[in-house]
Amino acid sequence: MKLAVFDYDSTLMDGETLEFLAREIGIERQVKEITDRAMRGELDFFESLQKRVSLLKGLEVGRVNDICANLPVMKGAEQTVKSLKDRGYKVVCFSGGFKNATIPFAQKIGLDAEFSNILHSKNGVLTGFTGGEMMFSESKGMMLQTLQKLLNVSYDNTIVAGDGANDLSMFKYASKRVSFCGKPALEKEANIIIKEKDLTQILTYI
């Protein structure tokens, strides 16, 4: 058994979910500033996530779902997922984002599973709170270890790919560590560095 784990925002999907949602209510710049600092490792991921989500309070869930269903797929994502599956990999998405986006996306491009967070809502609108599987800077590394044990996948048969500091926790558990257009903190720890927005470039290293 082999395992490939991809980050969602700015890796499988071309952009940041929270910024697309923030654009709807005119606060994209404010949210982007927090996102950028978190991805550089300057802010605690949990605190930055809670702060960004709190700014979305009052946004209608129906509109959230409409936006999330139409987020742009990263160049080469579908081809890369198919090729990895053809080579015997289970292909999974870990996201500090939300199931409103990752569930339809996983179905669209054929992922085997997705792990992400839930935007809390009440009476059809966001409350400004979130919870779930990927809330902390170490969450991805912890979930990766769980999957490796469940699927009996070794370090040598694991690939991980991401772009931000919250992907670092996966790197110590995978032999192939991909920085995909990544921030310096991630690139420093990667052994595969891709600087062009084309996921098929990963396939040349496998």
Side-chain angles (χ1 to χ4, degrees), residues 1 3 10-11 14 21 28-29 31 45 47 49 51-52 63 66 69 73 76 86 92-94 99 106 139 152 162 201:
M1 182 70 71
L3 178 64
S10 297
T11 304
D14 191 1
L21 296 176
E28 181 183 6
R29 186 173 179 180
V31 168
F45 182 76
E47 292 175 341
L49 179 62
K51 184 172 181 58
R52 286 175 288 167
R63 188 63 190 130
D66 287 343
V73 179
D86 288 345
V92 176
C93 165
F94 287 176
K99 293 194 177 294
S139 294
N152 195 26
Q201 292 195 17

Side-chain angles (χ1 to χ4, degrees), residues 67-184:
I67 293 167
C68 288
N70 292 286
L71 295 174
V73 179
M74 183 64 72
K75 180 181 178 182
E78 293 176 83
Q79 183 182 339
T80 300
V81 169
K82 184 181 184 306
S83 181
L84 287 169
K85 292 177 76 170
D86 288 345
R87 300 180 198 198
Y89 282 86
K90 291 291 185 184
V91 186
V92 176
C93 165
F94 287 176
S95 176
F98 314 104
K99 293 194 177 294
N100 311 67
T102 57
I103 289 175
F105 192 90
Q107 294 169 345
K108 182 188 298 184
I109 70 168
L111 297 176
D112 292 297
E114 54 74 38
F115 297 86
S116 57
N117 299 318
I118 296 170
L119 287 167
H120 184 256
S121 63
K122 206 169 185 179
N123 300 320
V125 298
L126 300 187
T127 62
F129 295 102
T130 187
E133 301 149 349
M134 295 285 147
M135 295 291 294
F136 303 95
S137 59
E138 294 298 316
S139 294
K140 292 184 179 182
M142 293 169 67
M143 187 63 76
L144 176 55
Q145 291 177 82
T146 299
L147 286 186
Q148 286 173 321
K149 289 173 185 173
L150 280 171
L151 299 174
N152 195 26
V153 177
S154 69
Y155 169 92
D156 289 332
N157 284 330
T158 303
I159 301 167
V160 297
D163 73 303
N166 68 319
D167 298 310
L168 270 173
S169 65
M170 298 192 288
F171 273 27
K172 65 186 82 168
Y173 307 110
S175 64
K176 292 182 175 67
R177 304 178 293 278
V178 182
S179 168
F180 183 75
C181 302
K183 301 295 187 292

Side-chain angles (χ1 to χ4, degrees), residues 41-53:
E42 297 172 5
L43 293 177
D44 175 79
F45 182 76
F46 173 77
E47 292 175 341
S48 73
L49 179 62
Q50 295 286 20
K51 184 172 181 58
R52 286 175 288 167
V53 171

